[in-house]
Amino acid sequence: ERIAQSDPLHSVDSAAHFLGGISPSTIRVWLWRGILTRIKIGRRTTVRESELLALISGERKIEAGNESKFRQIVADSVY
């Protein structure tokens, strides 16, 4: 699969920081549950920035138990 150059990739730690400082463990759980798509580069796991932006905008759904907490974290840190 070819990735557009305009869609940066984030490591698990970078993705967690990008989403307002949530735990990298949360990113790993979302990858495991299929909420985010894992892009492997060698041994590294990365996530497309467009998927992270879809979480922020609400285009991509998160499990119900964490959605409101996530939205508040993002609202406090991004906007």
Side-chain angles (χ1 to χ4, degrees), residues 39-59:
I39 305 295
K40 293 291 282 186
I41 299 178
R43 298 179 72 186
R44 295 187 57 188
T45 295
T46 62
V47 180
R48 289 184 183 108
E49 188 169 298
S50 61
E51 290 199 25
L52 303 177
L53 292 170
L55 283 175
I56 292 169
S57 70
E59 293 174 30

Side-chain angles (χ1 to χ4, degrees), residues 7 26 32-33 42 51 64 74-75:
D7 195 2
T26 300
W32 180 76
R33 290 187 178 181
E51 290 199 25
V74 170

